[in-house]
Every structure is written in structure tokens, then in C-alpha cells.
Amino acid sequence: MSYERSERPVLKPMTIRFSEEAWDAIEDVAWEHGTNKTELVRMAVVGNLARYLGNIRIVDEIGRASCRERV
């Protein structure tokens, strides 16, 4: 999706469900960064979340196990 900065994209409503653990994580991250849950999820979907939050990495199950070993 590409648009000029002066253009506002048309946003379509959607319902999405999260596990309690995921909901709590989204809520915590949103609160820590002074944004709301909706905006946080929207940024994650369009790929802006990493740029907004800074140094984060998305990992799969194998990567997660490796990260836990290092910590």
C-alpha cells in the first residue's frame, strides 16, 4: 500500500481475537510506549512496529529457544 503523506488511507473495521497471554503482552507494550492497543496492532500488521519501538526482533519457535538460552 503506497500513498502520499497528505492522503489519508481509508481504514476498514475488523474484529480480531487474542489469547489472554497475547492480550496482556499487547496491553503492556502499548502502555509502556504511550499508545493504544489498536494502534499497536495496526503498526504490527503494516510493518511499522519495529521502527516505532526500536530494536525488536520477531523470532520463530527455534529462535525463541535460542534467545531464552542466552538470557
Side-chain angles (χ1 to χ4, degrees):
M1 174 190 222
S2 178
Y3 55 90
E4 298 293 322
R5 282 212 178 266
S6 61
E7 296 177 39
R8 304 276 301 172
V10 176
L11 303 177
K12 305 288 185 176
M14 175 181 200
T15 300
I16 187 168
R17 302 199 187 319
F18 294 99
S19 68
E20 186 173 350
E21 182 180 274
W23 181 263
D24 291 344
I26 291 167
E27 198 167 48
D28 290 347
V29 171
W31 185 83
E32 288 170 10
H33 292 276
T35 190
N36 61 55
K37 293 181 289 288
T38 303
E39 188 62 23
L40 186 77
V41 172
R42 187 180 303 126
M43 286 187 289
V45 170
V46 298
N48 294 334
L49 186 60
R51 188 171 70 234
Y52 177 77
L53 296 180
N55 191 17
I56 66 167
R57 298 285 183 263
I58 298 171
V59 296
D60 58 14
E61 290 294 321
I62 296 168
R64 186 173 75 179
S66 175
C67 288
R68 284 187 180 183
E69 287 175 14
R70 289 186 222 165
V71 175

